[in-house]
Amino acid sequence: MITSLPILDSISPLWLQISLVAAWIGVLLLIASILNRFSKSGNSEAVRKVVHIGTGNIILLAWWLHIPASVSIGASIVASIVTLLSYRFPILPGINSVGRKSLGTFFYAVSIGLLVAWFWTIEQPQYAVLGILVMTWGDGLAALVGQKLGKHPYKIWGAQKSWEGSSAMAIVSYIVSSLVFLGVQGNIWQTWVVSVPIALAATTLEAYSLYGIDNLTVPIGSAALGFFLIEILPRYLG
């Protein structure tokens, strides 16, 4: 089972691990600030998605560096509080707008904490990684593709989506799931087959989303489905 990168195994001090993650977050916030300053007002959503994609990859650092669950959960709690405050005060300009109706950033932070608490404690971190990366790359790229290339819109519960964006969500979710399973269990048939229902479920959950709730339902739903299909279902079928 591949759970870390050899080059990172030597990075053992916890303070150094946390410093690397903090540095990554700092770089992302700096990039967001620069993009927000020089981009047009209509590109604020693009700025949020750049940060959305970059932040989600923190879960890979936590996985590879074997950062304890308590540290990641604590960081999630702090991030959740900060994001809630940012909806009332200009703490995260360019990422959250004051008075913005979507709670997506808050749900994003919560989902990371919940998945780490679930899968780190049972020593199955790959499912937390899968869930977060499906949301990070699938949802992030779906929004960008939908905005730039979405020519065939549809509406669900009053929220407008596009078939181009949903297709991007499905394709990226499949690729992400396959790569995670490929790294953990190798090139076996489950790697490629199980990724199909995960991608379809993630796309459906992203389509049926209001107020940014997909940042919670997509990662948890994807991780839970993957865990069920790989770990639970075979026990009953076998």
Side-chain angles (χ1 to χ4, degrees):
M1 177 182 294
I2 299 176
T3 57
S4 63
L5 295 182
I7 193 172
L8 298 176
D9 285 338
S10 60
I11 304 178
S12 55
L14 182 59
W15 67 268
L16 182 55
Q17 297 173 354
I18 296 175
S19 297
L20 288 174
V21 174
W24 178 259
I25 295 175
V27 170
L28 288 175
L29 292 177
L30 177 61
I31 292 174
S33 178
I34 294 173
L35 290 176
N36 188 57
R37 180 181 295 272
F38 292 101
S39 66
K40 299 178 181 179
S41 58
N43 289 334
S44 58
E45 186 65 21
V47 174
R48 279 191 288 270
K49 290 306 176 182
V50 167
V51 177
H52 173 98
I53 292 173
T55 302
N57 289 287
I58 289 175
I59 197 69
L60 285 173
L61 292 178
W63 187 24
W64 292 338
L65 296 173
H66 302 289
I67 292 178
S70 58
V71 174
S72 298
I73 295 170
S76 172
I77 293 173
V78 172
S80 299
I81 294 172
V82 171
T83 54
L84 277 180
L85 291 174
S86 71
Y87 292 109
R88 296 292 302 274
F89 307 101
I91 299 176
L92 301 173
I95 301 175
N96 284 335
S97 301
V98 175
R100 190 168 180 251
K101 293 182 179 180
S102 173
L103 292 173
T105 309
F106 169 70
F107 291 135
Y108 197 171
V110 171
S111 66
I112 293 176
L114 290 176
L115 288 177
V116 168
W118 182 0
F119 291 109
W120 250 247
T121 55
I122 63 173
E123 298 184 351
Q124 298 284 359
Q126 66 269 21
Y127 296 105
V129 173
L130 184 152
I132 296 301
L133 291 185
V134 164
M135 175 187 66
T136 295
W137 288 99
D139 180 63
L141 292 179
L144 294 176
V145 169
Q147 290 174 9
K148 299 296 183 181
L149 304 175
K151 305 298 182 182
H152 301 87
Y154 66 93
K155 283 189 176 182
I156 295 181
W157 292 348
Q160 182 165 307
K161 306 289 183 176
S162 73
W163 288 109
E164 291 82 0
S166 293
S167 297
M169 177 73 184
I171 293 171
V172 173
S173 297
Y174 178 81
I175 293 173
V176 167
S177 300
S178 298
L179 289 176
V180 171
F181 287 138
L182 183 64
V184 173
Q185 60 191 17
N187 186 13
I188 60 177
W189 68 268
Q190 290 94 335
T191 293
W192 312 106
V193 174
V194 170
S195 297
V196 173
I198 292 175
L200 295 176
T203 303
T204 302
L205 290 170
E206 192 277 334
Y208 287 88
S209 62
L210 289 174
Y211 306 111
I213 192 66
D214 55 320
N215 280 356
L216 188 64
T217 59
V218 168
I220 292 179
S222 301
L225 181 58
F227 180 71
F228 172 76
L229 293 176
I230 295 293
E231 306 292 340
I232 305 300
L233 186 60
R235 298 177 188 176
Y236 289 97
L237 297 180

